[in-house]
Amino acid sequence: MKLTITAFITLLSSVVFGQSLTGLDAQFALSTFSTPAQKPYVENYLKIQAKSINYQKNNDSLYQGKLIVTYTFSQGDTVRAFKKFEILSPTVTDPDSAKGSFMDLQRIAIDNGVYDLEIKLRDAYGSDHEYKGSQTVNVNYPENELSISDIELVADKAVAKNQDGPFVKNGLKFIPYVYDYYPNEINTLSFYAEIYNAGKSIGEETPYVIRYGIVNEYGDHLPQFTAYQREKAGDITILAKDFDISNLPTGNFKLKIDLLDSTQTVLRSEELEFLNVNKALPQQNAPTNKYDALADMLQKTPQPQLLEHIYCMKPIASVPEKSFIRLHAENVDKAKLENFFIDFWMDKNPRDPYEAWKEYRKKVEYVNQQFGTRVEKGYETDRGLTYLKYGQPNTIVRRDNEPSNYPYHIWHYYKHPKRSDARYVFYNKDKSTNNYMLLHSNVIGEINNPRWKYELQRRNTPYGDVDFEGDASDWGNQSEDFFNQPR
C-alpha cells in the first residue's frame, strides 16, 4: 500500500515529501502483515535522498543529518497508535559528498480496523516546515480465517546474516521498493507476501495451490508471467518470488496472488497495481486512429512545454503515473514523454483522447488564473488540485473579512467520489497572497483537523496559541455555521 505526498500536501498511494531541488526529498510506503499469534502490524518504509537534507557536525567531527518523524493512526478523534522518532543519516565528511539514499523501517502493532494515518516529517537541521500526509489504512486479518498480507514490492533481497536486522523477515533481508512504477532500466519485479491460517481454514496439511502472476487491465493472467506453487496448509506460508519483466510491454498491470483449492476454486486473492515502461515494447494494440491528433500536437510541442503539460496532469493521475511524473519526467527523452502523454489520455477517454486533453487544459488555465500565486501555478495549490480532481463545487462561501478569523473559503460538493455532502475549508494566513491552503475536510483521506475553527482564529488568540480555547473574541465569526449549513 503506497501513498504520495508533496510539500503542498497532495495525496496519492508511494509518499513523496518535498522536491529535490527545493527541499526534502523522501518516499514513503507501507504494508500490513500479521504474526503466527495473529497480532497484526504495519510496516512503514521511509526512503530519504541524502542530498536533500541538511547536515551538522556530530561528536566525531563528521556531518550527519537528522529527521523527526511521527506516525499517528486514528479512528475519529481517538488515537489508536502513535510513534515519534528520529532518523539519523549515514555520516559524511562533507555535506556536498552526500549521495544516494538511506531507508528506515518501523513496525507498529495495531488491531484490525480502518484507520486514518497521518505522517509528519521534519528536517531537524532545516527550517521549521513540517511535511504532512495522510491516508486511510485497512488492517484486516480475521482470527482463524484464511488471509493474505499486503504484497510488498522488493528492491533487493538476500539471505540474512544477522537475524535481528530491521529489514529481516523469516531469514531473509528485504529492501523495500517504495514505488508503483517500473522504469525501462529495471527488468526484475520482486515481491514478498505471507499467507495466514490455511490450516485452520481448509484443514491442516491439506494441499492447496498458490497462483501468482501478472494480469492485464482486463483481469487476464499473462501466461509468461504466471506461476504455481503447491503447498500443504499450515499457520503461515512465505512467498518471496521474482519475475523477469524485460519482455513485459508498457502498460498498467496488477501483480496478483490467488489461493486455489483442489477444484481450482479461488479461496482468497490479493493484488497490487503497478505501471511498467518498456522502451523496446511499447503498449500493445493501441488504435492509432484514436491518438493521431494527440501525436500531431505533441510533434509540434517543444519538450519544456510538454513537461509543463505533464506536470499539470498530476492532480488526476494514478499513483503509478504520479510516480513517473515525480521521479522520471525530467530525466527521460521527449519520445518517452510523448508515449506517456498519449497513454494517459487514451486511458482517460479512448474514444477521443485529444478532446479529453483539451477540456482538461481549459480547467488548468482556469485554476492557474484563479488560484495561482507568485510562487505556485494554480494546479499546484490546494484549491487548484481539489478543483481539477473533483470539479467545480456546488457552493462556495467566501469570508475574507471576518474580524476574528483569517480569510477563509468553504467549498461544498453535493456529490463526491468519496462521499456525499463533501466540504473543504481553505484559509489564507497571509492576506497579501492568493494562497488559500486546505485546513480541514470531512472527506476520508483528506486533511481532517478537529481544531480547524481555533486555527482560523489563531491570529486573534493570545500569543497566537492555536491550543487556546478561552475567551478570544469571535465577534462576527460564522465559520461553523457556514460549514454545517453551506450556501
Side-chain angles (χ1 to χ4, degrees):
M1 186 182 302
K2 302 181 189 297
L3 163 74
T4 300
I5 303 171
T6 70
F8 308 110
I9 314 180
T10 303
L11 303 181
L12 308 169
S13 196
S14 149
V15 182
V16 180
F17 296 90
Q19 300 183 18
S20 58
L21 296 180
T22 59
L24 190 62
D25 186 348
Q27 292 81 39
F28 171 87
L30 65 82
S31 300
T32 67
F33 294 95
S34 189
T35 68
Q38 300 187 329
K39 300 293 185 182
Y41 64 95
V42 181
E43 284 192 351
N44 303 274
Y45 320 121
L46 192 61
K47 181 178 181 180
I48 304 101
Q49 301 300 320
K51 279 189 174 297
S52 70
I53 65 174
N54 294 282
Y55 291 81
Q56 287 189 7
K57 273 190 177 182
N58 61 18
N59 293 334
D60 297 323
S61 295
L62 295 172
Y63 287 91
Q64 192 167 37
K66 180 166 72 174
L67 301 179
I68 300 172
V69 185
T70 305
Y71 299 141
T72 306
F73 292 82
S74 302
Q75 291 177 321
D77 295 334
T78 304
V79 174
R80 299 298 185 184
F82 174 86
K83 190 166 189 177
K84 185 173 183 178
F85 58 98
E86 296 179 351
I87 301 175
L88 296 177
S89 75
T91 56
V92 292
T93 56
D94 183 273
D96 292 336
S97 66
K99 61 179 63 176
S101 61
F102 56 97
M103 292 197 69
D104 177 79
L105 185 153
Q106 299 289 328
R107 294 186 176 97
I108 299 177
I110 197 164
D111 292 332
N112 288 323
V114 179
Y115 301 90
D116 293 322
L117 167 62
E118 182 183 55
I119 308 162
K120 296 181 180 178
L121 180 59
R122 182 169 65 84
D123 187 337
Y125 302 144
S127 68
D128 291 332
H129 181 77
E130 191 170 56
Y131 300 89
K132 297 180 182 180
S134 60
Q135 177 179 321
T136 301
V137 180
N138 187 7
V139 181
N140 184 27
Y141 297 103
E143 186 174 359
N144 298 327
E145 290 187 20
L146 182 65
S147 57
I148 308 173
S149 73
D150 284 343
I151 300 174
E152 176 189 353
L153 296 178
V154 176
D156 190 27
K157 68 176 184 289
V159 175
K161 297 180 180 179
N162 181 355
Q163 299 300 314
D164 296 327
F167 295 95
V168 173
K169 282 184 295 197
N170 298 298
L172 294 173
K173 181 178 180 180
F174 296 96
I175 303 300
Y177 184 71
V178 295
Y179 313 107
D180 294 335
Y181 164 73
Y182 284 86
N184 189 70
E185 297 76 21
I186 298 180
N187 293 320
T188 301
L189 185 155
S190 299
F191 68 95
Y192 175 88
E194 297 177 353
I195 299 161
Y196 309 113
N197 298 323
K200 295 173 183 177
S201 178
I202 62 179
E204 292 291 343
E205 298 296 305
T206 301
Y208 72 101
V209 173
I210 305 172
R211 177 175 63 194
Y212 57 95
I214 297 173
V215 300
N216 61 21
E217 58 184 326
Y218 306 107
D220 302 321
H221 278 83
L222 306 180
Q224 183 182 353
F225 305 99
T226 301
Y228 297 81
Q229 179 172 310
R230 187 179 177 85
E231 288 287 339
K232 288 186 177 181
D235 290 337
I236 182 170
T237 299
I238 307 304
L239 194 64
K241 299 295 181 180
D242 308 293
F243 281 111
D244 181 349
I245 57 173
S246 57
N247 290 320
L248 182 68
T250 297
N252 292 293
F253 300 93
K254 293 180 180 179
L255 178 61
K256 190 175 184 183
I257 299 172
D258 298 308
L259 307 184
L260 312 174
D261 65 12
S262 58
T263 66
Q264 298 297 296
T265 300
V266 177
L267 304 173
R268 190 71 62 190
S269 296
E270 184 69 25
E271 60 187 31
L272 177 68
E273 295 183 359
F274 69 95
L275 169 68
N276 187 62
V277 172
N278 189 332
K279 192 172 182 179
L281 294 170
Q283 189 166 355
Q284 303 297 302
N285 302 320
T288 57
N289 60 312
K290 293 181 179 179
Y291 61 70
D292 282 347
L294 270 183
D296 183 62
M297 181 203 79
L298 294 173
Q299 188 176 12
K300 302 173 183 176
T301 303
Q303 185 161 342
Q305 185 179 353
L306 177 55
L307 267 174
E308 177 63 20
H309 288 345
I310 288 175
Y311 290 145
C312 79
M313 289 153 40
K314 285 192 288 186
I316 62 168
S318 67
V319 171
E321 290 164 346
K322 284 185 173 76
S323 296
F324 170 83
I325 295 170
R326 170 67 184 86
L327 299 170
H328 300 283
E330 289 188 0
N331 303 315
V332 300
D333 57 32
K334 187 170 184 282
K336 185 174 289 187
L337 292 178
E338 291 175 355
N339 288 337
F340 174 82
F341 190 93
I342 290 173
D343 290 344
F344 184 98
W345 291 105
M346 285 290 294
D347 183 64
K348 296 295 180 187
N349 186 348
R351 292 181 177 274
D352 197 341
Y354 183 51
E355 185 62 28
W357 158 246
K358 289 196 299 181
E359 290 300 315
Y360 181 74
R361 184 61 189 171
K362 290 178 183 177
K363 296 178 182 178
V364 171
E365 291 171 353
Y366 173 81
V367 301
N368 283 346
Q369 181 182 20
Q370 295 294 317
F371 309 133
T373 71
R374 291 191 297 268
V375 296
E376 290 180 307
K377 300 290 181 62
Y379 64 79
E380 296 174 315
T381 67
D382 289 349
R383 286 185 299 169
L385 183 146
T386 304
Y387 186 99
L388 292 173
K389 285 178 69 176
Y390 305 121
Q392 173 76 31
N394 297 103
T395 66
I396 299 178
V397 174
R398 296 179 174 87
R399 302 291 289 181
D400 294 327
N401 295 296
E402 283 189 2
S404 61
N405 285 334
Y406 288 119
Y408 68 92
H409 295 173
I410 298 176
W411 289 15
H412 179 215
Y413 292 88
Y414 298 140
K415 293 183 179 180
H416 188 283
K418 296 182 178 180
R419 63 162 296 163
S420 60
D421 197 28
R423 301 164 196 176
Y424 292 79
V425 180
F426 304 93
Y427 77 132
N428 186 351
K429 297 178 69 173
D430 181 358
K431 291 195 287 187
S432 65
T433 72
N434 191 37
N435 186 20
Y436 283 74
M437 299 178 293
L438 180 59
L439 173 61
H440 172 68
S441 175
N442 65 349
V443 176
I444 293 176
E446 303 282 12
I447 293 174
N448 183 281
N449 184 353
R451 300 182 54 78
W452 67 272
K453 296 185 293 294
Y454 297 106
E455 181 70 36
L456 275 183
Q457 298 180 61
R458 187 171 186 173
R459 71 177 182 181
N460 282 355
T461 54
Y463 311 108
D465 182 5
V466 72
D467 293 323
F468 178 76
E469 297 184 24
D471 296 325
S473 172
D474 62 354
W475 180 79
N477 179 12
Q478 297 179 276
S479 60
E480 185 171 17
D481 178 43
F482 282 126
F483 184 82
N484 293 329
Q485 300 291 332
R487 59 266 199 187

